[in-house]
Amino acid sequence: MEVVNKYVSLKHHVDGYPSESDFELSTTPLQPAPGSGEVIVKNLYLSIDPYQLDRMKRYSSSHTTCPAAAQIEPEQARVAWPLTSRSGNAFVAWSQLTTSLFLLQRIDAYGVGKVVASGRAELEEGDVVAGLLGWEQYTVVRPGTVLMKVDAKDLPLSCYASVLGEYSLHLHQIKEHKKDAPKFLMTATGTSGLTAFAGFYDVCKPKKGEKVFVSAASGSVGSLVGQYAKLSGCYVVGCAGSKQKVDLLKGKLGFDDAFNYKEEADLKSALRRYFPEGIDIYFDNVGAAMLEAAVANMNPFGRVAVCGAISEYTNAGKRAAPDLMDVIYKRITLRGFLALDYLHLHEQFSAATSDHLRRGRMTSLEDVSVGIESLPTAFVGLFRGDNVGKKLVRVGELEG
């Protein structure tokens, strides 16, 4: 089966704020190779995530830390497949060149789609699946990439691209590199739910009655963290960038309080006002001055989950410098983490969160754009603060 595929690619590296002109829309035919075990997926919903900007930079120290952070090359800089290394192994050469295992000329993204052609016995045409797809209408998924079947009976299909997303594991055992294959060639990408769940419950280890501060609280991760905190009996304050978002936090999401950080000249004083007895847990999605202010207001033995640093993605000069004397003498724990460290919690997370959603104890906030052409604007909007909740793009319709 051959399909005509529209896809969005990167025109050049992005240093600073992204713009729509950094991307281009192209068209190409797609066809799985006979007997290859490849699957063609018609993409329905794609997750749009700010961490991708760091992968688009000309240089970031994170590029070599794990495959999930590997640099995304502009389309014109890519090298045609196959490659040949000195060992004669084309796959090894490709992984050495880019540390990415995915198809050429695409930006990968977690998503939900419908199988339209399958070379795998376990998948049939018409199956709805979730996994690592791309900024495109159709994705050819190669053998070794896990596609999880989705049975969306009592929850919207979009939930499986946002809060309830499974993780896509791409595992290739390479004879020459068996020892390192799991470390370097497992790429896990996912959605906001497990990030929020694992970060809050494992990194922060909340106790009932503790005081929790969440930055970027109306975003995909922050909105879930605040709800988990309320379900755990904590006092929760969030910050956001508009009155609309603040009202949403205090109303629909049930935060105890919230404030617009753009209206605060002194963040340290603002947090002292909202937390007169200090902060026990800070879930950081912002970095920079917000992290500094939170650390200054932490209680002894406070915990900071360093999840994101969106204020630093677009400005290399903005770097957090928390007072280390506070960290030392208050015995504060600051811990960075990645959701891929917590795949073992996915079953627990999925069962608990699905139940909360079905029973109305939690709300999944989704901000959905429509059409492949909207992908660049949807991505750029993340850095303007346009989105409320999880940003998704609906690329196609589920028919039949």
Side-chain angles (χ1 to χ4, degrees):
M1 176 184 181
E2 181 176 293
V3 297
V4 177
N5 185 37
K6 286 185 180 180
Y7 66 95
V8 175
S9 61
L10 189 64
K11 290 169 67 175
H12 44 249
H13 290 298
V14 180
D15 295 300
Y17 279 94
S19 71
E20 285 84 350
S21 62
D22 295 325
F23 306 92
E24 61 184 347
L25 183 67
S26 304
T27 302
T28 188
L30 281 184
Q31 185 174 15
S36 65
E38 294 175 337
V39 177
I40 294 185
V41 176
K42 176 186 176 182
N43 298 334
L44 303 176
Y45 286 94
L46 296 175
S47 171
I48 310 300
D49 300 287
Y51 82 91
Q52 295 279 50
L53 181 61
D54 197 58
R55 300 180 62 203
M56 297 174 186
K57 292 180 180 179
R58 191 174 306 278
Y59 170 79
S60 171
S61 59
S62 69
H63 288 164
T64 57
T65 58
C66 67
Q71 186 181 42
I72 297 172
E73 288 285 356
E75 179 171 352
Q76 62 265 35
R78 295 184 184 275
V79 179
W81 176 272
L83 302 173
T84 302
S85 70
R86 283 183 293 229
S87 67
N89 188 316
F91 177 79
V92 172
W94 174 246
S95 63
Q96 288 171 344
L97 179 68
T98 67
T99 71
S100 176
L101 304 176
F102 308 111
L103 292 175
L104 303 182
Q105 302 179 349
R106 75 160 185 170
I107 301 168
D108 52 73
Y110 190 82
V112 174
K114 178 182 177 180
V115 174
V116 295
S118 176
R120 299 188 194 176
E122 72 274 16
L123 292 176
E124 299 179 355
E125 182 180 338
D127 285 345
V128 178
V129 295
L132 194 62
L133 304 175
W135 283 21
E136 53 194 349
Q137 291 178 314
Y138 295 87
T139 295
V140 174
V141 181
R142 290 179 171 172
T145 301
V146 176
L147 290 173
M148 306 297 295
K149 289 186 182 181
V150 170
D151 185 13
K153 288 182 178 178
D154 52 355
L155 289 170
L157 188 61
S158 58
C159 278
Y160 295 87
S162 56
V163 61
L164 292 178
E166 297 282 350
Y167 267 69
S168 174
L169 304 181
H170 198 135
L171 295 171
H172 283 265
Q173 300 296 329
I174 298 178
K175 292 180 181 179
E176 295 90 335
H177 296 275
K178 275 187 178 179
K179 179 181 177 183
D180 293 333
K183 179 178 179 183
F184 293 108
L185 301 179
M186 182 186 84
T187 298
T189 187
T191 51
S192 309
L194 183 59
T195 303
F197 185 90
F200 184 65
Y201 287 111
D202 189 85
V203 177
C204 297
K205 301 187 185 304
K207 302 179 185 69
K208 185 176 181 179
E210 287 193 311
K211 296 169 181 61
V212 178
F213 173 48
V214 184
S215 58
S218 66
S220 60
V221 174
S223 62
L224 297 172
V225 171
Q227 293 180 82
Y228 286 135
K230 287 303 300 176
L231 288 168
S232 301
C234 297
Y235 177 83
V236 188
V237 177
C239 71
S242 71
K243 182 180 184 302
Q244 173 200 6
K245 293 179 179 180
V246 167
D247 291 343
L248 177 71
L249 295 177
K250 293 192 291 185
K252 187 173 185 178
L253 298 188
F255 281 56
D256 293 289
D257 213 336
F259 65 93
N260 183 348
Y261 70 90
K262 294 179 181 178
E263 296 177 349
E264 301 291 345
D266 185 338
L267 290 174
K268 290 181 182 179
S269 296
L271 288 179
R272 197 174 303 120
R273 189 167 73 249
Y274 284 94
F275 292 97
E277 298 178 5
I279 300 169
D280 298 304
I281 291 171
Y282 172 43
F283 201 99
D284 184 25
N285 295 300
V286 172
M290 193 67 75
L291 175 57
E292 295 171 14
V295 167
N297 283 277
M298 297 291 290
N299 287 326
F301 301 101
R303 287 87 72 203
V304 179
V306 185
C307 176
I310 194 166
S311 70
E312 300 183 15
Y313 294 161
T314 55
N315 187 342
K318 262 188 182 177
R319 289 292 182 267
D323 190 331
L324 292 183
M325 299 306 286
D326 277 339
V327 174
I328 293 167
Y329 286 99
K330 293 182 183 178
R331 287 85 86 204
I332 297 169
T333 299
L334 288 86
R335 183 173 160 194
F337 72 100
L338 297 173
L340 62 86
D341 300 325
Y342 294 97
L343 299 181
H344 62 284
L345 293 182
H346 194 280
E347 188 174 344
Q348 178 186 346
F349 146 72
S350 183
T353 305
S354 297
D355 188 59
H356 290 324
L357 290 169
R358 291 187 184 102
R359 295 176 182 273
R361 293 190 293 254
M362 286 186 71
T363 297
S364 176
L365 288 182
E366 296 174 357
D367 189 326
V368 183
S369 298
V370 178
I372 188 74
E373 296 82 3
S374 71
L375 272 162
T377 298
F379 180 71
V380 171
L382 293 175
F383 303 93
R384 295 192 296 250
D386 293 351
N387 63 299
V388 178
K390 179 65 185 177
K391 187 63 192 180
L392 300 173
V393 172
R394 193 177 76 222
V395 178
E397 296 284 353
L398 181 62
E399 302 163 355

